[in-house]
Amino acid sequence: MATPNGLARIETTGKKKQDNGVWYDDSSAPVRAQTIDELHSLQRKRSAPSTPKRSAPTTPIKGGAHSPFAVAISEEERHTQQMQSISASLASLTRETGPKVVKGDPAAKGEAAAQGAPSTPRAHQQHRHPAAPAIAVSDSSLKFTHVLNNLSPAELYEQAIKYEKGSFITSTGALATLSGAKTGRSPRDKRVVKDEVTAQDLWWGKGSPNIEMDEKTFLINRERAVDYLNSLEKVFVNDQYLNWDPENRIKVRIISARAYHSLFMHNMCIRPTDEELEDFGTPDFTIYNAGQFPCNRYTHYMTSSTSIDLNLARREMVIMGTQYAGEMKKGLFGVMHYLMPKRGILSLHSGCNMGKDGDVALFFGLSGTGKTTLSTDHNRLLIGDDEHCWSDNGVSNIEGGCYAKCIDLAQEKEPDIWNAIKFGTVLENVVFDEHTREVDYADNSVTENTRAAYPIEYIPNAKIPCVGPHPKNVILLACDAFGVLPPVSKLNLAQTMYHFISGYTALVAGTEDGIKEPQATFSACFGAAFIMLHPTKYAAMLAEKMQKYGATGWLVNTGWSGGRYGVGKRIRLPYTRKIIDAIHSGELLTANYQKTEVFGLEIPTEINGVPSEILDPINTWTDKAAYKENLLRLGGLFKKNFEVFASYKIGDDSSLTDEILAAGPNF
């Protein structure tokens, strides 16, 4: 739902703070169902009594009255067969190399066999004959597992609808499906193997999202996942790319048990051509998604039946106990946050668009700041909405698709997203009419975190390929519910690093029991849940590239003016758009500036189309003492948040950290 000025409503639902201080805006909330049948009943909304009765499906039904499609065997029979296969697989002593998911291309067959590593079959073998998929013998040598390689969306639709309960085609042609009990990410269950290399490279400890595990535990979970995949009648394999920059792209292989997961990654990663598939070779990174099967809760480091495990040395990820597809997307983003900086490439959790003259802008912001709204501009080309790399070649999108929130989606507010929900799009956990299959985007019966995953080419003004020249503007968005940050400030490099590391916005809890206090929220680098290195390293890389390529940093407040939340009003969206336009055009580079107290921000005295009195927030407050009180309070919260970063050194030198600290609030 949007506020009257068109910006997204600020919510705290689904936003949880972990014990280590890291905020996550799409972490999993308890599912609103106790059984799988209850979950399915939530997904399908009964028509109103006045609705004329339609004819019922005529497909013969086996396995329950609620199933609208025929299934080959009952769920009980399938479960029994799977458990028997698992038992047989557990008896095997030859599971070390994992499932034989592919045969290997002729050129690399000898090498792959010598190393015990799987390689890729020729594209024509996997892509043009889905009716006769490749068959690989599982390690137990007691059964066959059909391996479905790189199926098309139409083929994946067929697989999902025929074999996955809860999969339906909506009225616009999208595939609606359910992610099970987990309707968001499980950050407390995500772990990274800590070895000699990662112990030095990665950010560990207070404030870090990285939870450690050891190599042995990873291998135990990996073997359990592989055994489960081997026990199935079929598995799905995607061979795809990350990063549109051809010099720095990463080859990934995703092995999953669900057609829904395969279609999701088909949309979210970059799709190779048939020729590229023929020469794909050995992947740089592999995901084993056994999300339908739980980990062993009694295994060391485990705290639940869910575990998302990352081994950077083996270049592997294992998923167990959660079917939420976003774990794969964000897991690979974490991998890019590790691999790209090692090449001198900055990985960024940001939106990115480009003007007609080739001027590129990066947009950073947490949920509710207006990042999606402001980076979506019909006068500019969309390079990407979420994940990017900045190399010496310019900026490039990491992904091949978009993963948009759907709650309260409306055609008049988000026409591009609305029109992208068509055949090929995956809709997660939405509610639809039982007969018409029309989706009710306001219905949160299953979860608030409803999502749509679609290829980026479904957006009309997407730039294909998704690359651009070096950014001219780096825009940091904050929704300040304290009402004390200016609508726009020009930042120097040290200030850009400080506010980039801080990753600030503010949340308000709602008005059920009256007006609540604003709650400051900080997420390092505007994506603390996904970064692997210390935030200062990313900030230093950002400043280096901005300086090298002449980019300017901006802090834009889309929050309150004239008072804090409950007293003042949210800054009007048309004014914010005028500010963004003035940044794009270069108007603000030649404006006159004055400096604010406490934060020391440079604010323009005049912008075309924006009332001058709102540019300095103190002018809009009737109670000047209350303004000063809230300003000092917010400055104190910034300082407290930054304490975890204050002692960081790059080598033996603390001068960079000292410079960044000096760019923060002073009082």
Side-chain angles (χ1 to χ4, degrees), residues 167-433:
S167 296
F168 300 89
I169 300 177
T170 68
S171 59
T172 63
L175 179 70
T177 187
L178 292 169
S179 65
K182 300 284 187 177
T183 58
R185 290 182 302 105
S186 302
R188 298 189 185 192
D189 296 309
K190 183 179 176 182
R191 300 172 181 86
V192 184
V193 172
K194 190 173 185 179
D195 53 30
E196 292 182 358
V197 175
T198 57
Q200 300 299 317
D201 288 349
L202 269 56
W203 178 29
W204 305 99
K206 185 178 180 181
S208 167
N210 300 317
I211 304 172
E212 70 174 88
M213 71 185 306
D214 60 27
E215 173 86 3
K216 181 178 180 181
T217 305
F218 174 85
L219 292 175
I220 290 171
N221 284 353
R222 180 189 187 278
E223 184 163 296
R224 186 175 173 95
V226 166
D227 284 339
Y228 170 73
L229 292 168
N230 277 332
S231 75
L232 302 176
E233 294 179 359
K234 68 183 72 156
V235 294
F236 300 89
V237 177
N238 293 43
D239 288 331
Q240 295 183 265
Y241 297 120
L242 298 177
N243 196 354
W244 283 82
D245 178 358
E247 291 184 19
N248 294 293
R249 69 184 183 185
I250 300 296
K251 297 184 293 183
V252 293
R253 174 168 294 156
I254 303 101
I255 305 165
S256 54
R258 292 192 64 178
Y260 141 53
H261 287 155
S262 186
L263 180 58
F264 176 90
M265 295 307 284
H266 171 88
N267 290 346
M268 294 310 304
C269 295
I270 299 166
R271 294 157 288 282
T273 63
D274 282 351
E275 292 75 18
E276 289 173 328
L277 281 174
E278 288 208 36
D279 299 326
F280 193 82
T282 303
D284 299 309
F285 196 88
T286 302
I287 294 179
Y288 297 98
N289 187 346
Q292 292 166 285
F293 199 67
C295 67
N296 187 331
R297 291 178 297 148
Y298 299 103
T299 304
H300 191 39
Y301 293 101
M302 301 300 105
T303 56
S304 73
S305 59
T306 299
S307 192
I308 303 100
D309 305 333
L310 182 62
N311 190 322
L312 294 169
R314 293 180 63 99
R315 305 289 175 91
E316 292 180 339
M317 182 178 180
V318 171
I319 300 174
M320 303 185 73
T322 173
Q323 297 177 64
Y324 181 64
E327 297 288 7
M328 295 182 287
K329 165 188 160 67
K330 291 303 187 183
L332 290 175
F333 189 30
V335 171
M336 295 295 280
H337 265 312
Y338 177 74
L339 295 178
M340 292 296 101
K342 285 183 170 293
R343 301 185 182 185
I345 298 170
L346 177 61
S347 50
L348 300 165
H349 189 210
S350 70
C352 182
N353 65 24
M354 185 178 77
K356 296 175 182 177
D357 296 328
D359 59 298
V360 169
L362 296 172
F363 291 82
F364 296 87
L366 304 181
S367 291
T369 60
K371 183 181 76 168
T372 300
T373 301
L374 295 172
S375 61
T376 302
D377 189 331
H378 290 286
N379 295 317
R380 298 173 66 85
L381 297 174
L382 178 69
I383 293 177
D385 72 331
D386 196 42
E387 302 176 9
H388 293 88
C389 286
W390 189 353
S391 71
D392 289 336
N393 298 327
V395 69
S396 57
N397 192 349
I398 289 175
E399 302 180 295
C402 302
Y403 194 31
K405 293 180 181 178
C406 290
I407 194 69
D408 294 322
L409 179 66
Q411 186 173 15
E412 60 274 14
K413 295 176 185 175
E414 299 285 357
D416 286 344
I417 296 175
W418 180 276
N419 294 328
I421 299 176
K422 56 187 179 181
F423 180 82
T425 297
V426 175
L427 280 174
E428 281 183 325
N429 301 316
V430 298
V431 176
F432 50 82
D433 183 272

Side-chain angles (χ1 to χ4, degrees), residues 499-566:
H499 288 279
F500 178 69
I501 292 173
S502 296
Y504 165 72
T505 194
L507 305 174
V508 292
T511 57
E512 292 83 355
D513 300 314
I515 297 171
K516 302 295 185 181
E517 291 286 325
Q519 187 173 10
T521 300
F522 300 93
S523 182
C525 306
F526 293 92
F530 321 117
I531 61 177
M532 305 293 286
L533 312 180
H534 193 280
T536 304
K537 291 187 177 181
Y538 297 106
M541 289 186 70
L542 177 62
E544 178 186 0
K545 291 191 180 299
M546 289 177 64
Q547 188 172 35
K548 183 176 181 180
Y549 299 110
T552 305
W554 307 90
L555 179 63
V556 174
N557 173 25
T558 63
W560 272 256
S561 178
R564 68 178 188 179
Y565 170 80

Side-chain angles (χ1 to χ4, degrees), residues 427-653:
L427 280 174
E428 281 183 325
N429 301 316
V430 298
V431 176
F432 50 82
D433 183 272
E434 187 175 36
H435 291 293
T436 66
R437 296 295 195 262
E438 292 181 357
V439 177
D440 182 354
Y441 292 107
D443 195 320
N444 63 357
S445 297
V446 178
T447 179
E448 287 270 348
N449 191 36
T450 53
R451 296 270 181 165
Y454 48 85
I456 194 168
E457 54 264 33
Y458 282 16
I459 300 296
N461 65 329
K463 183 182 183 301
I464 307 295
C466 302
V467 297
H470 297 289
K472 286 189 175 181
N473 294 292
V474 174
I475 301 170
L476 312 182
L477 299 169
C479 178
D480 177 30
F482 292 89
V484 296
L485 289 183
V488 61
S489 312
K490 185 172 70 171
L491 305 176
N492 59 37
L493 286 177
Q495 288 175 322
T496 303
M497 287 189 283
Y498 182 88
H499 288 279
F500 178 69
I501 292 173
S502 296
Y504 165 72
T505 194
L507 305 174
V508 292
T511 57
E512 292 83 355
D513 300 314
I515 297 171
K516 302 295 185 181
E517 291 286 325
Q519 187 173 10
T521 300
F522 300 93
S523 182
C525 306
F526 293 92
F530 321 117
I531 61 177
M532 305 293 286
L533 312 180
H534 193 280
T536 304
K537 291 187 177 181
Y538 297 106
M541 289 186 70
L542 177 62
E544 178 186 0
K545 291 191 180 299
M546 289 177 64
Q547 188 172 35
K548 183 176 181 180
Y549 299 110
T552 305
W554 307 90
L555 179 63
V556 174
N557 173 25
T558 63
W560 272 256
S561 178
R564 68 178 188 179
Y565 170 80
V567 178
K569 295 182 179 179
R570 195 159 187 194
I571 297 169
R572 294 185 58 202
L573 179 59
Y575 295 157
T576 304
R577 287 200 183 277
K578 288 286 186 182
I579 289 170
I580 298 297
D581 289 343
I583 291 173
H584 290 324
S585 69
E587 174 190 336
L588 288 187
L589 290 176
T590 58
N592 295 319
Y593 285 86
Q594 64 185 34
K595 184 173 287 191
T596 67
E597 57 181 342
V598 178
F599 280 88
L601 298 170
E602 296 282 343
I603 58 175
T605 57
E606 187 177 0
I607 301 175
N608 288 330
V610 181
S612 296
E613 60 269 18
I614 76 169
L615 296 177
D616 189 345
I618 193 172
N619 295 334
T620 63
W621 282 65
T622 304
D623 188 341
K624 307 300 184 185
Y627 165 80
K628 186 64 175 290
E629 179 185 346
N630 279 270
L631 179 63
L632 292 173
R633 183 181 174 195
L634 182 60
L637 293 171
F638 265 82
K639 282 191 168 186
K640 181 175 177 58
N641 172 71
F642 220 85
E643 288 174 358
V644 71
F645 312 116
S647 60
Y648 182 76
K649 296 181 180 181
I650 296 181
D652 297 326
D653 188 3

Side-chain angles (χ1 to χ4, degrees), residues 82-92 95 139-140 142-143:
Q82 288 182 353
M83 292 308 297
Q84 290 172 346
S85 296
I86 291 166
S87 298
S89 184
L90 287 172
S92 171
R95 296 169 295 185
D139 326 72
S140 63
L142 297 176
K143 67 179 294 295

